[in-house]
Amino acid sequence: MTALAPTLEAFFTERLVTQRRASPNTIAAYRDTFRLLLRFLHDTTGTPPSMLKIEDLDAHRVSAFLDHLEQVRGVTVRTRNNRLAAIHSLFRYAAFRHPEHAALIQRVLAVPAKRADRALISFLDAREIETVLAAPDLSTRLGRRDHALLALAFQTGLRVSELVALRCGDVIFGTGANVRCFGKGRKERATPLTPETVAVLRAWLDERGFDAEDPLFPGPRGKPLTRDAVRRVVTRHVATAVANRASLGGKRVTPHVLRHSCAMWLLESGFDTAVVALWLGHESVRTTDMYEHADLGVKERALARAQPQTTVRRHRYRPDDALLRFLSAL
């Protein structure tokens, strides 16, 4: 076995798990990156993954792997950059363990991320949200579960990973009703609940019966829903809602679009971007700025408040006085 294999194993067990306490989602994303990279190297060099050397992961092959992701696997620039970030993280760790490969490591670290176009975010307006919420069949237990999930997602803007991780005990009723979750970066936050959402969640919890540690939205076997399952729930009910709201047919609605819709609802309700950032669990207010760019209504209201430009008065040219001309010529 070469030096690459134990370095890669230590990167996951020491750096990610022990030192950084990376989330399961981060570990899974990094794992998938290196599985793809090792298989690519095996296919192009013929060397089994366990026999690959650090020298086999030079800047040229890393760049070729990134091109393969885009051109063959059809990933987006954002995904390509995420894969590169995982590779950079490994090589920064390898720099401490293998200083003899410092030159190679620096060349890999110098591989740049690719700039990506940033399109306007997609979101649903108030009428579209109402139509999607009315799509689940409330005469069935599954429909009532989906309705509670969609109502909570639209109102709180939780990430899909935060939704599926919720336990029944995370919903707090009474005065100051809220839902608590651990978000991105292991940050705990509490998001207030409206009376309408409280009523939906209370009815759902009364129906299902629960312990505090039970998943709030269980699957058929009582386990928490997966992110793919939530995506299928959203897709299914949006397809039903299209019959009553044609505008939904031109939008690609994913669970993250529900989060975007919550942010736009907050902005349209007059909340400051700093409050929206706290609500959504953003690390920086700058992340929230993208919602203001996406809302044409914000710009239209700003234009309506702007004062019209006054017409510039035209004056006929008149030459200076003779004495002023004398002084100007000095």
Side-chain angles (χ1 to χ4, degrees), residues 44-110:
T44 54
T45 66
T47 306
S50 59
M51 299 303 295
L52 287 169
K53 302 177 182 179
I54 294 178
E55 299 94 307
D56 294 326
L57 275 70
D58 58 14
H60 174 73
R61 287 199 174 103
V62 169
S63 297
F65 167 67
L66 298 174
D67 292 339
H68 168 78
L69 291 178
E70 287 190 87
Q71 298 168 8
V72 178
R73 296 185 64 86
V75 305
T76 64
V77 173
R78 190 177 301 276
T79 300
R80 178 245 192 219
N81 290 340
N82 289 339
R83 302 299 189 198
L84 177 59
I87 295 171
H88 280 173
S89 183
L90 169 66
F91 274 78
R92 283 192 293 269
Y93 176 73
F96 293 97
R97 294 174 60 101
H98 300 285
E100 68 276 12
H101 295 298
L104 179 146
I105 290 172
Q106 289 305 311
R107 285 193 292 271
V108 172
L109 293 177

Side-chain angles (χ1 to χ4, degrees), residues 178-191:
N178 64 85
V179 60
R180 298 179 180 273
C181 73
F182 276 94
K184 199 172 182 179
R186 296 186 178 274
K187 297 187 297 291
E188 183 180 13
R189 74 179 189 276
T191 306

Side-chain angles (χ1 to χ4, degrees), residues 25-205:
N25 290 334
T26 298
I27 294 174
Y30 280 34
R31 175 205 63 202
D32 293 342
T33 295
F34 293 111
R35 288 174 64 184
L36 290 170
L37 175 59
L38 294 177
R39 286 173 178 171
F40 171 78
L41 293 174
H42 174 61
D43 292 339
T44 54
T45 66
T47 306
S50 59
M51 299 303 295
L52 287 169
K53 302 177 182 179
I54 294 178
E55 299 94 307
D56 294 326
L57 275 70
D58 58 14
H60 174 73
R61 287 199 174 103
V62 169
S63 297
F65 167 67
L66 298 174
D67 292 339
H68 168 78
L69 291 178
E70 287 190 87
Q71 298 168 8
V72 178
R73 296 185 64 86
V75 305
T76 64
V77 173
R78 190 177 301 276
T79 300
R80 178 245 192 219
N81 290 340
N82 289 339
R83 302 299 189 198
L84 177 59
I87 295 171
H88 280 173
S89 183
L90 169 66
F91 274 78
R92 283 192 293 269
Y93 176 73
F96 293 97
R97 294 174 60 101
H98 300 285
E100 68 276 12
H101 295 298
L104 179 146
I105 290 172
Q106 289 305 311
R107 285 193 292 271
V108 172
L109 293 177
V111 175
K114 182 177 287 189
R115 298 185 64 179
D117 296 332
R118 296 189 63 179
L120 291 177
I121 63 171
S122 177
F123 63 95
L124 307 185
D125 60 32
R127 290 178 296 180
E128 291 170 337
I129 292 174
E130 291 176 359
T131 307
V132 173
L133 287 176
D137 183 4
L138 299 184
S139 65
T140 66
R141 177 183 172 88
L142 187 63
R144 291 188 290 272
R145 183 206 65 184
D146 292 352
H147 177 70
L149 185 152
L150 292 172
L152 184 64
F154 275 124
Q155 194 254 288
T156 61
L158 294 180
R159 300 177 179 91
V160 64
S161 59
E162 297 166 348
L163 277 172
V164 299
L166 287 176
R167 302 291 176 175
C168 295
D170 295 328
V171 181
I172 311 300
F173 295 122
T175 303
N178 64 85
V179 60
R180 298 179 180 273
C181 73
F182 276 94
K184 199 172 182 179
R186 296 186 178 274
K187 297 187 297 291
E188 183 180 13
R189 74 179 189 276
T191 306
L193 298 174
T194 63
E196 295 79 9
T197 306
V198 167
V200 171
L201 290 176
R202 192 186 293 276
W204 166 243
L205 288 175

